[in-house]
Amino acid sequence: MHETRPLPASPAADARADDAVDLAPLIAAHGPSPEERAATQARAEALVRAIREEGRPSTMEKFLGEYGLSSEEGVALMCLAEALLRVPDAATIDDLIEDKIAGSRWDAHLGQSESSLVNASTWGLYLT
């Protein structure tokens, strides 16, 4: 007869605990120092304040306003941008663009932005 052991209450929690134990010394040895973290946070806060104080949206903000992550097209563009970071060659890039762009409702966005650049980009996406 085989001896059975009770399963842990949460195997996933046990796995995360082991990772945390294993990673703690690596993070301490190779991660950013508290000073670097504070400087990074201060720089990020300064950039956000500067953008908010500028008052008028940039072209990228207009583009993101038209293609937010609440739309199918926005999600497709975000997935495409992320995937392009890992693509090895031009042929694969072309296939990936065709796959992510095809089938979306770009026509619903034609002429919807105040930005002529965003509208021109929409025409390009629509004609793809």
Side-chain angles (χ1 to χ4, degrees):
M1 202 148 117
H2 294 96
E3 179 180 330
T4 60
R5 297 181 311 178
L7 292 173
S10 172
D14 289 346
R16 284 191 301 271
D18 291 344
D19 288 346
V21 169
D22 292 341
L23 291 175
L26 293 172
I27 292 170
H30 303 286
S33 68
E35 294 80 15
E36 290 169 321
R37 286 179 190 258
T40 300
Q41 182 172 345
R43 176 74 175 132
E45 290 172 357
L47 288 170
V48 169
R49 272 194 301 280
I51 290 169
R52 288 180 178 164
E53 290 170 1
E54 188 175 294
R56 49 169 230 205
S58 68
T59 301
M60 182 54 75
E61 289 171 308
K62 291 176 184 176
F63 192 84
L64 292 173
E66 184 63 34
Y67 296 108
L69 294 179
S70 60
S71 73
E72 180 182 323
E73 293 80 18
V75 171
L77 289 171
M78 188 224 21
C79 291
L80 176 61
E82 185 178 342
L84 287 173
L85 296 172
R86 296 184 292 276
V87 174
D89 57 76
T92 305
I93 289 173
D94 290 343
D95 291 343
L96 182 63
I97 290 171
E98 184 177 346
D99 178 60
K100 294 295 180 190
I101 300 300
S104 294
R105 298 241 14 254
W106 304 108
D107 58 324
H109 298 273
L110 290 172
Q112 297 298 311
S113 177
E114 295 175 7
S115 167
S116 58
L117 185 58
V118 172
N119 288 327
S121 299
T122 301
W123 270 108
L125 291 164
Y126 176 67
L127 297 174
T128 300

